[in-house]
Amino acid sequence: MRKSEDTLNEEMLPAERRQHLIDWFKQNQAGSGQDLARMLGISVSTIRRDLDVLAGEGLVRRTHGGAVAIRSRSSYEPSTDLSQRTAVEEKLAIVREALTLIEPGQSLLIDTGAVICHRLADEIAKIEFPLTVITNDLYVAKQLTYRDNITLIVPGGACRVGSFSLLGEPGLGFLKNIHCDIFFTSATAIDENGTSETNLELGHMKRAMAAAAREVVLIADSSRFMSCALHRTVPINSIDLIITDAGLLEEDRAKFPPHKPRFKTIDRTQVAVPDADDIGPNTPS
């Protein structure tokens, strides 16, 4: 009697399975245990053991329910295409929680250079009450153009090659003379000291935006945490609230200061899609 495909895969040599995982993590930032087990046709318990071995060798970092790739180079920056395919549901859940902070008449700064901020712009475009939005991101600006209720301000700058980011002057000079209600930001890397980026000019822009806001809200999926890129940007004590998903391990969360920033952890399975009328400060979280 012929063995099933699942049985054959379970009998694959452990070293062979782990090499498949190593190759997969070279192309992908994060994966859940269930998805990886399904991909290899093995049990979740087997994939957990394999991920534990790879984590022990320093090749991945274990998260709640899966693992993320460890990038040893501080200059590593995931491509826009990879970012768009990583933690899709988690990003959407984080964005929907961020929407509950927005009130009519507020002025918002929206970060540049992050896919999750693009998803935030997609959702803000559905809001009907009046807002002022300032951004140096061409994608964000495009999504909010022709919205009668949104006053859109794009300070300008030179476009970074391969991205939607406008960096340098006149944007930096403009930001020194404004004061907004909320700055929604993300980052290439986040640890207990703050955020960091691979690009120096991008770091300058993010610091200027943070200084121009009453409240700084960091929105990022858990794969961005506990790593550090080349250029420090916003220090941890300048961030008021971090919204992330449940993949951030409690032992890593405990490394952050106890009182500031505050943390809001989102379980993607518990997040309902809000109606436009529900967006605002009274939306239950």
Side-chain angles (χ1 to χ4, degrees), residues 122-158:
D122 294 339
E123 298 300 316
I124 289 177
K126 303 172 186 177
I127 293 177
E128 296 184 356
F129 54 68
L131 290 170
T132 296
V133 175
I134 301 168
T135 185
N136 266 43
D137 191 285
L138 294 175
Y139 180 93
V140 174
K142 173 180 175 293
Q143 294 305 97
L144 301 181
T145 301
Y146 302 121
R147 298 293 301 171
D148 292 340
N149 60 306
I150 295 178
T151 300
L152 177 64
I153 301 172
V154 182

PDB file of all heavy atoms in Angstrom, residues 122-158:
ATOM      1  N   ASP A 122      -5.249  53.998   3.092  1.00  0.00           N
ATOM      2  CA  ASP A 122      -6.393  53.387   2.412  1.00  0.00           C
ATOM      3  C   ASP A 122      -7.655  53.486   3.266  1.00  0.00           C
ATOM      4  O   ASP A 122      -8.750  53.748   2.759  1.00  0.00           O
ATOM      5  CB  ASP A 122      -6.111  51.903   2.120  1.00  0.00           C
ATOM      6  CG  ASP A 122      -4.986  51.704   1.112  1.00  0.00           C
ATOM      7  OD1 ASP A 122      -4.685  52.635   0.362  1.00  0.00           O
ATOM      8  OD2 ASP A 122      -4.410  50.595   1.102  1.00  0.00           O
ATOM      9  N   GLU A 123      -7.506  53.252   4.581  1.00  0.00           N
ATOM     10  CA  GLU A 123      -8.661  53.283   5.481  1.00  0.00           C
ATOM     11  C   GLU A 123      -9.085  54.705   5.807  1.00  0.00           C
ATOM     12  O   GLU A 123     -10.283  54.998   5.922  1.00  0.00           O
ATOM     13  CB  GLU A 123      -8.329  52.511   6.767  1.00  0.00           C
ATOM     14  CG  GLU A 123      -8.030  51.037   6.550  1.00  0.00           C
ATOM     15  CD  GLU A 123      -9.195  50.298   5.916  1.00  0.00           C
ATOM     16  OE1 GLU A 123     -10.347  50.517   6.338  1.00  0.00           O
ATOM     17  OE2 GLU A 123      -8.957  49.504   4.981  1.00  0.00           O
ATOM     18  N   ILE A 124      -8.142  55.612   5.970  1.00  0.00           N
ATOM     19  CA  ILE A 124      -8.491  57.011   6.248  1.00  0.00           C
ATOM     20  C   ILE A 124      -9.264  57.610   5.080  1.00  0.00           C
ATOM     21  O   ILE A 124     -10.134  58.473   5.261  1.00  0.00           O
ATOM     22  CB  ILE A 124      -7.216  57.836   6.552  1.00  0.00           C
ATOM     23  CG1 ILE A 124      -6.659  57.431   7.928  1.00  0.00           C
ATOM     24  CG2 ILE A 124      -7.499  59.336   6.520  1.00  0.00           C
ATOM     25  CD1 ILE A 124      -5.365  58.128   8.294  1.00  0.00           C
ATOM     26  N   ALA A 125      -8.987  57.142   3.863  1.00  0.00           N
ATOM     27  CA  ALA A 125      -9.702  57.646   2.688  1.00  0.00           C
ATOM     28  C   ALA A 125     -11.196  57.364   2.763  1.00  0.00           C
ATOM     29  O   ALA A 125     -11.987  58.002   2.066  1.00  0.00           O
ATOM     30  CB  ALA A 125      -9.111  57.036   1.422  1.00  0.00           C
ATOM     31  N   LYS A 126     -11.613  56.413   3.610  1.00  0.00           N
ATOM     32  CA  LYS A 126     -13.027  56.071   3.752  1.00  0.00           C
ATOM     33  C   LYS A 126     -13.738  56.927   4.806  1.00  0.00           C
ATOM     34  O   LYS A 126     -14.963  56.875   4.917  1.00  0.00           O
ATOM     35  CB  LYS A 126     -13.160  54.591   4.123  1.00  0.00           C
ATOM     36  CG  LYS A 126     -12.509  53.643   3.130  1.00  0.00           C
ATOM     37  CD  LYS A 126     -12.507  52.208   3.649  1.00  0.00           C
ATOM     38  CE  LYS A 126     -11.725  51.272   2.745  1.00  0.00           C
ATOM     39  NZ  LYS A 126     -11.671  49.891   3.283  1.00  0.00           N
ATOM     40  N   ILE A 127     -12.973  57.673   5.598  1.00  0.00           N
ATOM     41  CA  ILE A 127     -13.558  58.510   6.649  1.00  0.00           C
ATOM     42  C   ILE A 127     -14.267  59.702   6.018  1.00  0.00           C
ATOM     43  O   ILE A 127     -13.792  60.276   5.036  1.00  0.00           O
ATOM     44  CB  ILE A 127     -12.455  58.982   7.619  1.00  0.00           C
ATOM     45  CG1 ILE A 127     -11.898  57.800   8.405  1.00  0.00           C
ATOM     46  CG2 ILE A 127     -12.979  60.050   8.574  1.00  0.00           C
ATOM     47  CD1 ILE A 127     -10.751  58.148   9.333  1.00  0.00           C
ATOM     48  N   GLU A 128     -15.364  60.098   6.604  1.00  0.00           N
ATOM     49  CA  GLU A 128     -16.152  61.198   6.039  1.00  0.00           C
ATOM     50  C   GLU A 128     -16.058  62.489   6.835  1.00  0.00           C
ATOM     51  O   GLU A 128     -16.470  63.544   6.349  1.00  0.00           O
ATOM     52  CB  GLU A 128     -17.612  60.766   5.903  1.00  0.00           C
ATOM     53  CG  GLU A 128     -17.799  59.604   4.920  1.00  0.00           C
ATOM     54  CD  GLU A 128     -19.257  59.246   4.721  1.00  0.00           C
ATOM     55  OE1 GLU A 128     -20.116  59.846   5.394  1.00  0.00           O
ATOM     56  OE2 GLU A 128     -19.539  58.356   3.890  1.00  0.00           O
ATOM     57  N   PHE A 129     -15.559  62.441   8.072  1.00  0.00           N
ATOM     58  CA  PHE A 129     -15.480  63.688   8.835  1.00  0.00           C
ATOM     59  C   PHE A 129     -14.195  64.459   8.492  1.00  0.00           C
ATOM     60  O   PHE A 129     -13.252  63.894   7.929  1.00  0.00           O
ATOM     61  CB  PHE A 129     -15.615  63.437  10.343  1.00  0.00           C
ATOM     62  CG  PHE A 129     -14.670  62.431  10.942  1.00  0.00           C
ATOM     63  CD1 PHE A 129     -13.299  62.670  11.037  1.00  0.00           C
ATOM     64  CD2 PHE A 129     -15.160  61.245  11.461  1.00  0.00           C
ATOM     65  CE1 PHE A 129     -12.445  61.756  11.615  1.00  0.00           C
ATOM     66  CE2 PHE A 129     -14.315  60.314  12.053  1.00  0.00           C
ATOM     67  CZ  PHE A 129     -12.941  60.575  12.126  1.00  0.00           C
ATOM     68  N   PRO A 130     -14.135  65.757   8.828  1.00  0.00           N
ATOM     69  CA  PRO A 130     -13.006  66.601   8.406  1.00  0.00           C
ATOM     70  C   PRO A 130     -11.698  66.257   9.122  1.00  0.00           C
ATOM     71  O   PRO A 130     -11.679  66.009  10.320  1.00  0.00           O
ATOM     72  CB  PRO A 130     -13.473  68.019   8.752  1.00  0.00           C
ATOM     73  CG  PRO A 130     -14.510  67.839   9.812  1.00  0.00           C
ATOM     74  CD  PRO A 130     -15.188  66.545   9.516  1.00  0.00           C
ATOM     75  N   LEU A 131     -10.618  66.264   8.360  1.00  0.00           N
ATOM     76  CA  LEU A 131      -9.277  66.015   8.881  1.00  0.00           C
ATOM     77  C   LEU A 131      -8.267  66.851   8.102  1.00  0.00           C
ATOM     78  O   LEU A 131      -8.508  67.209   6.944  1.00  0.00           O
ATOM     79  CB  LEU A 131      -8.891  64.543   8.737  1.00  0.00           C
ATOM     80  CG  LEU A 131      -9.593  63.505   9.598  1.00  0.00           C
ATOM     81  CD1 LEU A 131      -9.237  62.104   9.107  1.00  0.00           C
ATOM     82  CD2 LEU A 131      -9.218  63.665  11.062  1.00  0.00           C
ATOM     83  N   THR A 132      -7.137  67.127   8.746  1.00  0.00           N
ATOM     84  CA  THR A 132      -5.974  67.658   8.050  1.00  0.00           C
ATOM     85  C   THR A 132      -4.894  66.594   8.090  1.00  0.00           C
ATOM     86  O   THR A 132      -4.579  66.057   9.154  1.00  0.00           O
ATOM     87  CB  THR A 132      -5.453  68.943   8.714  1.00  0.00           C
ATOM     88  OG1 THR A 132      -6.444  69.959   8.622  1.00  0.00           O
ATOM     89  CG2 THR A 132      -4.180  69.432   8.036  1.00  0.00           C
ATOM     90  N   VAL A 133      -4.344  66.243   6.944  1.00  0.00           N
ATOM     91  CA  VAL A 133      -3.316  65.199   6.861  1.00  0.00           C
ATOM     92  C   VAL A 133      -2.079  65.789   6.201  1.00  0.00           C
ATOM     93  O   VAL A 133      -2.151  66.375   5.122  1.00  0.00           O
ATOM     94  CB  VAL A 133      -3.806  63.978   6.072  1.00  0.00           C
ATOM     95  CG1 VAL A 133      -2.670  62.964   5.913  1.00  0.00           C
ATOM     96  CG2 VAL A 133      -4.999  63.329   6.762  1.00  0.00           C
ATOM     97  N   ILE A 134      -0.946  65.609   6.876  1.00  0.00           N
ATOM     98  CA  ILE A 134       0.346  66.036   6.348  1.00  0.00           C
ATOM     99  C   ILE A 134       1.193  64.797   6.134  1.00  0.00           C
ATOM    100  O   ILE A 134       1.321  63.962   7.027  1.00  0.00           O
ATOM    101  CB  ILE A 134       1.056  67.001   7.319  1.00  0.00           C
ATOM    102  CG1 ILE A 134       0.183  68.231   7.574  1.00  0.00           C
ATOM    103  CG2 ILE A 134       2.419  67.417   6.781  1.00  0.00           C
ATOM    104  CD1 ILE A 134       0.660  69.093   8.710  1.00  0.00           C
ATOM    105  N   THR A 135       1.761  64.646   4.945  1.00  0.00           N
ATOM    106  CA  THR A 135       2.561  63.457   4.657  1.00  0.00           C
ATOM    107  C   THR A 135       3.625  63.766   3.621  1.00  0.00           C
ATOM    108  O   THR A 135       3.449  64.642   2.770  1.00  0.00           O
ATOM    109  CB  THR A 135       1.680  62.299   4.154  1.00  0.00           C
ATOM    110  OG1 THR A 135       2.488  61.119   4.001  1.00  0.00           O
ATOM    111  CG2 THR A 135       1.026  62.633   2.818  1.00  0.00           C
ATOM    112  N   ASN A 136       4.729  63.069   3.695  1.00  0.00           N
ATOM    113  CA  ASN A 136       5.774  63.137   2.678  1.00  0.00           C
ATOM    114  C   ASN A 136       5.866  61.828   1.907  1.00  0.00           C
ATOM    115  O   ASN A 136       6.917  61.444   1.411  1.00  0.00           O
ATOM    116  CB  ASN A 136       7.135  63.451   3.320  1.00  0.00           C
ATOM    117  CG  ASN A 136       7.434  64.937   3.305  1.00  0.00           C
ATOM    118  OD1 ASN A 136       6.548  65.730   3.600  1.00  0.00           O
ATOM    119  ND2 ASN A 136       8.644  65.306   2.960  1.00  0.00           N
ATOM    120  N   ASP A 137       4.728  61.155   1.827  1.00  0.00           N
ATOM    121  CA  ASP A 137       4.662  59.887   1.098  1.00  0.00           C
ATOM    122  C   ASP A 137       3.721  60.041  -0.088  1.00  0.00           C
ATOM    123  O   ASP A 137       2.550  60.401   0.074  1.00  0.00           O
ATOM    124  CB  ASP A 137       4.164  58.776   2.018  1.00  0.00           C
ATOM    125  CG  ASP A 137       4.333  57.404   1.395  1.00  0.00           C
ATOM    126  OD1 ASP A 137       3.534  57.082   0.486  1.00  0.00           O
ATOM    127  OD2 ASP A 137       5.234  56.658   1.805  1.00  0.00           O
ATOM    128  N   LEU A 138       4.208  59.770  -1.278  1.00  0.00           N
ATOM    129  CA  LEU A 138       3.420  59.978  -2.494  1.00  0.00           C
ATOM    130  C   LEU A 138       2.228  59.031  -2.574  1.00  0.00           C
ATOM    131  O   LEU A 138       1.170  59.406  -3.081  1.00  0.00           O
ATOM    132  CB  LEU A 138       4.314  59.811  -3.729  1.00  0.00           C
ATOM    133  CG  LEU A 138       5.417  60.863  -3.904  1.00  0.00           C
ATOM    134  CD1 LEU A 138       6.306  60.510  -5.094  1.00  0.00           C
ATOM    135  CD2 LEU A 138       4.809  62.252  -4.088  1.00  0.00           C
ATOM    136  N   TYR A 139       2.377  57.802  -2.067  1.00  0.00           N
ATOM    137  CA  TYR A 139       1.239  56.873  -2.074  1.00  0.00           C
ATOM    138  C   TYR A 139       0.134  57.385  -1.159  1.00  0.00           C
ATOM    139  O   TYR A 139      -1.043  57.398  -1.532  1.00  0.00           O
ATOM    140  CB  TYR A 139       1.669  55.479  -1.640  1.00  0.00           C
ATOM    141  CG  TYR A 139       0.519  54.489  -1.625  1.00  0.00           C
ATOM    142  CD1 TYR A 139       0.246  53.699  -2.735  1.00  0.00           C
ATOM    143  CD2 TYR A 139      -0.321  54.365  -0.516  1.00  0.00           C
ATOM    144  CE1 TYR A 139      -0.818  52.801  -2.739  1.00  0.00           C
ATOM    145  CE2 TYR A 139      -1.382  53.478  -0.505  1.00  0.00           C
ATOM    146  CZ  TYR A 139      -1.633  52.704  -1.618  1.00  0.00           C
ATOM    147  OH  TYR A 139      -2.706  51.839  -1.608  1.00  0.00           O
ATOM    148  N   VAL A 140       0.499  57.799   0.042  1.00  0.00           N
ATOM    149  CA  VAL A 140      -0.492  58.332   0.979  1.00  0.00           C
ATOM    150  C   VAL A 140      -1.197  59.537   0.379  1.00  0.00           C
ATOM    151  O   VAL A 140      -2.424  59.662   0.440  1.00  0.00           O
ATOM    152  CB  VAL A 140       0.178  58.707   2.315  1.00  0.00           C
ATOM    153  CG1 VAL A 140      -0.824  59.390   3.249  1.00  0.00           C
ATOM    154  CG2 VAL A 140       0.761  57.471   2.984  1.00  0.00           C
ATOM    155  N   ALA A 141      -0.410  60.428  -0.221  1.00  0.00           N
ATOM    156  CA  ALA A 141      -0.996  61.629  -0.825  1.00  0.00           C
ATOM    157  C   ALA A 141      -1.968  61.257  -1.943  1.00  0.00           C
ATOM    158  O   ALA A 141      -3.058  61.838  -2.059  1.00  0.00           O
ATOM    159  CB  ALA A 141       0.112  62.527  -1.360  1.00  0.00           C
ATOM    160  N   LYS A 142      -1.608  60.306  -2.765  1.00  0.00           N
ATOM    161  CA  LYS A 142      -2.478  59.878  -3.862  1.00  0.00           C
ATOM    162  C   LYS A 142      -3.806  59.350  -3.328  1.00  0.00           C
ATOM    163  O   LYS A 142      -4.881  59.677  -3.864  1.00  0.00           O
ATOM    164  CB  LYS A 142      -1.786  58.808  -4.692  1.00  0.00           C
ATOM    165  CG  LYS A 142      -2.657  58.159  -5.768  1.00  0.00           C
ATOM    166  CD  LYS A 142      -1.875  57.109  -6.519  1.00  0.00           C
ATOM    167  CE  LYS A 142      -2.755  56.354  -7.512  1.00  0.00           C
ATOM    168  NZ  LYS A 142      -3.792  55.526  -6.857  1.00  0.00           N
ATOM    169  N   GLN A 143      -3.749  58.533  -2.267  1.00  0.00           N
ATOM    170  CA  GLN A 143      -4.970  57.940  -1.727  1.00  0.00           C
ATOM    171  C   GLN A 143      -5.906  58.979  -1.134  1.00  0.00           C
ATOM    172  O   GLN A 143      -7.128  58.773  -1.094  1.00  0.00           O
ATOM    173  CB  GLN A 143      -4.628  56.888  -0.667  1.00  0.00           C
ATOM    174  CG  GLN A 143      -3.902  55.666  -1.196  1.00  0.00           C
ATOM    175  CD  GLN A 143      -4.663  54.985  -2.324  1.00  0.00           C
ATOM    176  OE1 GLN A 143      -4.390  55.213  -3.506  1.00  0.00           O
ATOM    177  NE2 GLN A 143      -5.636  54.170  -1.961  1.00  0.00           N
ATOM    178  N   LEU A 144      -5.370  60.084  -0.679  1.00  0.00           N
ATOM    179  CA  LEU A 144      -6.187  61.089   0.002  1.00  0.00           C
ATOM    180  C   LEU A 144      -6.501  62.294  -0.880  1.00  0.00           C
ATOM    181  O   LEU A 144      -7.136  63.245  -0.426  1.00  0.00           O
ATOM    182  CB  LEU A 144      -5.483  61.544   1.289  1.00  0.00           C
ATOM    183  CG  LEU A 144      -5.202  60.415   2.295  1.00  0.00           C
ATOM    184  CD1 LEU A 144      -4.530  60.972   3.541  1.00  0.00           C
ATOM    185  CD2 LEU A 144      -6.467  59.646   2.666  1.00  0.00           C
ATOM    186  N   THR A 145      -6.053  62.260  -2.130  1.00  0.00           N
ATOM    187  CA  THR A 145      -6.367  63.333  -3.074  1.00  0.00           C
ATOM    188  C   THR A 145      -7.847  63.266  -3.468  1.00  0.00           C
ATOM    189  O   THR A 145      -8.427  62.191  -3.553  1.00  0.00           O
ATOM    190  CB  THR A 145      -5.483  63.204  -4.322  1.00  0.00           C
ATOM    191  OG1 THR A 145      -4.113  63.270  -3.925  1.00  0.00           O
ATOM    192  CG2 THR A 145      -5.763  64.325  -5.319  1.00  0.00           C
ATOM    193  N   TYR A 146      -8.457  64.421  -3.687  1.00  0.00           N
ATOM    194  CA  TYR A 146      -9.866  64.533  -4.097  1.00  0.00           C
ATOM    195  C   TYR A 146     -10.839  64.101  -3.000  1.00  0.00           C
ATOM    196  O   TYR A 146     -11.987  63.786  -3.288  1.00  0.00           O
ATOM    197  CB  TYR A 146     -10.143  63.738  -5.383  1.00  0.00           C
ATOM    198  CG  TYR A 146      -9.288  64.155  -6.555  1.00  0.00           C
ATOM    199  CD1 TYR A 146      -8.442  63.237  -7.187  1.00  0.00           C
ATOM    200  CD2 TYR A 146      -9.311  65.465  -7.016  1.00  0.00           C
ATOM    201  CE1 TYR A 146      -7.655  63.617  -8.259  1.00  0.00           C
ATOM    202  CE2 TYR A 146      -8.520  65.851  -8.091  1.00  0.00           C
ATOM    203  CZ  TYR A 146      -7.693  64.929  -8.706  1.00  0.00           C
ATOM    204  OH  TYR A 146      -6.909  65.312  -9.763  1.00  0.00           O
ATOM    205  N   ARG A 147     -10.397  64.085  -1.749  1.00  0.00           N
ATOM    206  CA  ARG A 147     -11.293  63.851  -0.627  1.00  0.00           C
ATOM    207  C   ARG A 147     -11.699  65.215  -0.074  1.00  0.00           C
ATOM    208  O   ARG A 147     -10.877  65.915   0.534  1.00  0.00           O
ATOM    209  CB  ARG A 147     -10.609  63.008   0.454  1.00  0.00           C
ATOM    210  CG  ARG A 147     -10.189  61.620  -0.006  1.00  0.00           C
ATOM    211  CD  ARG A 147     -11.368  60.742  -0.321  1.00  0.00           C
ATOM    212  NE  ARG A 147     -12.240  60.580   0.850  1.00  0.00           N
ATOM    213  CZ  ARG A 147     -13.426  60.011   0.814  1.00  0.00           C
ATOM    214  NH1 ARG A 147     -13.908  59.571  -0.338  1.00  0.00           N
ATOM    215  NH2 ARG A 147     -14.141  59.892   1.915  1.00  0.00           N
ATOM    216  N   ASP A 148     -12.952  65.607  -0.287  1.00  0.00           N
ATOM    217  CA  ASP A 148     -13.396  66.947   0.078  1.00  0.00           C
ATOM    218  C   ASP A 148     -13.265  67.239   1.568  1.00  0.00           C
ATOM    219  O   ASP A 148     -13.084  68.395   1.974  1.00  0.00           O
ATOM    220  CB  ASP A 148     -14.861  67.147  -0.341  1.00  0.00           C
ATOM    221  CG  ASP A 148     -15.040  67.181  -1.846  1.00  0.00           C
ATOM    222  OD1 ASP A 148     -14.027  67.432  -2.540  1.00  0.00           O
ATOM    223  OD2 ASP A 148     -16.159  66.933  -2.326  1.00  0.00           O
ATOM    224  N   ASN A 149     -13.340  66.205   2.390  1.00  0.00           N
ATOM    225  CA  ASN A 149     -13.281  66.403   3.844  1.00  0.00           C
ATOM    226  C   ASN A 149     -11.855  66.451   4.392  1.00  0.00           C
ATOM    227  O   ASN A 149     -11.655  66.739   5.569  1.00  0.00           O
ATOM    228  CB  ASN A 149     -14.038  65.277   4.561  1.00  0.00           C
ATOM    229  CG  ASN A 149     -13.449  63.910   4.245  1.00  0.00           C
ATOM    230  OD1 ASN A 149     -13.292  63.534   3.084  1.00  0.00           O
ATOM    231  ND2 ASN A 149     -13.095  63.153   5.285  1.00  0.00           N
ATOM    232  N   ILE A 150     -10.857  66.163   3.538  1.00  0.00           N
ATOM    233  CA  ILE A 150      -9.471  66.108   3.997  1.00  0.00           C
ATOM    234  C   ILE A 150      -8.653  67.249   3.396  1.00  0.00           C
ATOM    235  O   ILE A 150      -8.580  67.400   2.176  1.00  0.00           O
ATOM    236  CB  ILE A 150      -8.832  64.758   3.638  1.00  0.00           C
ATOM    237  CG1 ILE A 150      -9.528  63.628   4.399  1.00  0.00           C
ATOM    238  CG2 ILE A 150      -7.330  64.754   3.948  1.00  0.00           C
ATOM    239  CD1 ILE A 150      -9.008  62.249   4.070  1.00  0.00           C
ATOM    240  N   THR A 151      -8.062  68.039   4.282  1.00  0.00           N
ATOM    241  CA  THR A 151      -7.088  69.030   3.854  1.00  0.00           C
ATOM    242  C   THR A 151      -5.735  68.343   3.786  1.00  0.00           C
ATOM    243  O   THR A 151      -5.190  67.917   4.814  1.00  0.00           O
ATOM    244  CB  THR A 151      -7.030  70.212   4.836  1.00  0.00           C
ATOM    245  OG1 THR A 151      -8.311  70.835   4.911  1.00  0.00           O
ATOM    246  CG2 THR A 151      -5.986  71.232   4.401  1.00  0.00           C
ATOM    247  N   LEU A 152      -5.204  68.194   2.594  1.00  0.00           N
ATOM    248  CA  LEU A 152      -3.978  67.429   2.373  1.00  0.00           C
ATOM    249  C   LEU A 152      -2.807  68.370   2.146  1.00  0.00           C
ATOM    250  O   LEU A 152      -2.865  69.267   1.301  1.00  0.00           O
ATOM    251  CB  LEU A 152      -4.148  66.511   1.161  1.00  0.00           C
ATOM    252  CG  LEU A 152      -2.939  65.684   0.736  1.00  0.00           C
ATOM    253  CD1 LEU A 152      -2.544  64.693   1.823  1.00  0.00           C
ATOM    254  CD2 LEU A 152      -3.218  64.960  -0.581  1.00  0.00           C
ATOM    255  N   ILE A 153      -1.724  68.168   2.910  1.00  0.00           N
ATOM    256  CA  ILE A 153      -0.515  68.991   2.788  1.00  0.00           C
ATOM    257  C   ILE A 153       0.672  68.063   2.533  1.00  0.00           C
ATOM    258  O   ILE A 153       0.908  67.119   3.299  1.00  0.00           O
ATOM    259  CB  ILE A 153      -0.264  69.818   4.063  1.00  0.00           C
ATOM    260  CG1 ILE A 153      -1.460  70.742   4.331  1.00  0.00           C
ATOM    261  CG2 ILE A 153       1.020  70.632   3.939  1.00  0.00           C
ATOM    262  CD1 ILE A 153      -1.381  71.464   5.668  1.00  0.00           C
ATOM    263  N   VAL A 154       1.402  68.312   1.459  1.00  0.00           N
ATOM    264  CA  VAL A 154       2.597  67.538   1.123  1.00  0.00           C
ATOM    265  C   VAL A 154       3.785  68.504   1.120  1.00  0.00           C
ATOM    266  O   VAL A 154       3.967  69.277   0.177  1.00  0.00           O
ATOM    267  CB  VAL A 154       2.455  66.849  -0.250  1.00  0.00           C
ATOM    268  CG1 VAL A 154       3.696  66.011  -0.553  1.00  0.00           C
ATOM    269  CG2 VAL A 154       1.207  65.969  -0.284  1.00  0.00           C
ATOM    270  N   PRO A 155       4.599  68.484   2.184  1.00  0.00           N
ATOM    271  CA  PRO A 155       5.682  69.457   2.308  1.00  0.00           C
ATOM    272  C   PRO A 155       6.720  69.389   1.200  1.00  0.00           C
ATOM    273  O   PRO A 155       7.368  70.385   0.884  1.00  0.00           O
ATOM    274  CB  PRO A 155       6.315  69.109   3.665  1.00  0.00           C
ATOM    275  CG  PRO A 155       5.234  68.433   4.420  1.00  0.00           C
ATOM    276  CD  PRO A 155       4.465  67.660   3.394  1.00  0.00           C
ATOM    277  N   GLY A 156       6.921  68.201   0.619  1.00  0.00           N
ATOM    278  CA  GLY A 156       7.842  68.109  -0.514  1.00  0.00           C
ATOM    279  C   GLY A 156       9.211  67.591  -0.133  1.00  0.00           C
ATOM    280  O   GLY A 156       9.517  67.303   1.026  1.00  0.00           O
ATOM    281  N   GLY A 157      10.059  67.455  -1.136  1.00  0.00           N
ATOM    282  CA  GLY A 157      11.407  66.922  -0.965  1.00  0.00           C
ATOM    283  C   GLY A 157      11.798  66.141  -2.207  1.00  0.00           C
ATOM    284  O   GLY A 157      11.070  66.117  -3.204  1.00  0.00           O
ATOM    285  N   ALA A 158      12.953  65.497  -2.156  1.00  0.00           N
ATOM    286  CA  ALA A 158      13.439  64.684  -3.264  1.00  0.00           C
ATOM    287  C   ALA A 158      12.967  63.248  -3.075  1.00  0.00           C
ATOM    288  O   ALA A 158      13.072  62.694  -1.984  1.00  0.00           O
ATOM    289  CB  ALA A 158      14.963  64.732  -3.336  1.00  0.00           C
TER     290      ALA A 158
END
